[in-house]
Amino acid sequence: MQPMRTPARLVLVTVALTCGCVTKAAHDDLQRQLDGTESALRAEQEADRQAHAEQLSRAEHDVDSLTAGLDQSKVAAAEYQRQLSLVEALLAEKETALAQLEQRQQQTERDLAAVLEKRSALKASLEQMSVALEELRKHKTAADRRVADYQAMLDRFAALIDAGKLKVSIVDGRMVLTLPMDILFASGRATLTDEGTSSLKEVGKGLSTIPGRRFQVEGHTDDVPINTAKFPSNWELGAGRALVVLRALEEGGVPPQQLSAATYGEYRPAHDNDGNAHRAANRRIEIVIVPDLSTLPGYEELNALGGG
């Protein structure tokens, strides 16, 4: 803003008053000066007005620009706020998804641990099953072998079996050849009859063809007491008859190292001694095919426990 100027006419009047009366020429000269000063002042004022107007216009333009910029800034700020809200919502959604993923991962880890535990248990179960199947296979192999041995024994002594002189059976898990006493010995005696000798030679011939097996000859009596100088009781009678049969089998070709004898006297009857028929059945010689324990399942373990 320019400082306010004093009007030229006032200056001239003041000068005139101060100096007293002036001449016309001086007056005219002053008048011209005054007019010029007024023109210059008006021009200067107009210039100041225009300058002020231009400054005002520029200021208004600047205000409009600032207002427009502010509006744009507000719009941009609103857009930024909207985008920030979207980002925050997306971030919250991602955090929720991450939490759910972590929960699923933890559940998956638990499921995996359970699966591994079940797998370990299944593996152990399969191993146990394999062991059990192997044991079953061994048992079946042993059973098949015993059945085959039994059938072979029936075939080997078919003639004696058909003649009623020999019976092949399984007693207490052992294969037993039973010879009735009435074809072997007379009552109360331990001397073989001719028919007994012939039958035992035939049995010995058949047993001699079975390598690697042991045979135990067992003497059994009925419960009728005996008390002689040679046989004080049925123990001695059963033992004497078993030894006689053992000798006959040896003569029939069975190696002596495969033979043994035992007596049970009257204490392991096949039937109750309640009649002549049952007593006759109890008087018998049994040739037991001694089981080969080395072929039985678990033999190696038992052998190791027993020190070999």
Side-chain angles (χ1 to χ4, degrees), residues 133-182:
L133 287 175
E134 179 62 21
E135 289 296 320
L136 182 62
R137 186 191 64 79
K138 291 179 179 179
H139 280 287
K140 185 177 184 304
T141 300
D144 291 343
R145 183 167 51 249
R146 288 194 294 270
V147 171
D149 290 344
Y150 181 73
Q151 186 60 51
M153 196 67 69
L154 292 177
D155 295 340
R156 184 176 285 107
F157 297 110
L160 288 174
I161 294 172
D162 292 341
K165 297 179 180 181
L166 181 69
K167 182 176 71 172
V168 180
S169 58
I170 303 296
V171 179
D172 297 332
R174 306 177 304 171
M175 192 183 310
V176 177
L177 310 182
T178 303
L179 294 95
M181 195 66 67
D182 56 358

Side-chain angles (χ1 to χ4, degrees), residues 183-203:
I183 68 170
L184 297 177
F185 302 99
S187 178
R189 299 179 64 85
T191 303
L192 283 172
T193 64
D194 293 341
E195 184 180 10
T197 300
S198 175
S199 297
L200 286 173
K201 286 184 178 179
E202 191 171 348
V203 171

